[in-house]
Amino acid sequence: MEGDCLSCMKYLMFLFNFFIFLGGACLLGFGIWVVVDPTGFREIVAANPLLFTGAYIMLAMGAMLFLLGFLGCCGAIRENKCLLLF
């Protein structure tokens, strides 16, 4: 019975970290789109330098969440305590 609970916890941890991974990937993709797109957002962002800084903050947060989610998924599947604590 205890093994089943730990197995369930392992997969729930993987699922939670996978959602963080997907959120980071979406945020990273959207941030890259805002910075690279020559039309659309570029005109809005160029008008206000604070928004341009926000795009780079979005890139940094997306990259951090992407990495954190990936390491969490690997740590949950392999049951590696070091990766999970990172």
Side-chain angles (χ1 to χ4, degrees), residues 17 20-21 24-25 28 60-74 83 86:
N17 281 302
I20 291 174
F21 174 76
L28 187 63
M61 292 300 292
M64 185 181 74
L65 286 174
F66 185 82
L67 180 65
L68 187 69
F70 178 74
L71 292 177
C73 286
C74 290
L83 286 175
F86 178 69

Side-chain angles (χ1 to χ4, degrees), residues 1-11 79:
M1 182 70 173
E2 187 176 314
D4 294 336
C5 183
L6 291 177
S7 179
C8 179
M9 184 68 107
K10 172 182 165 179
Y11 289 112
E79 297 178 12

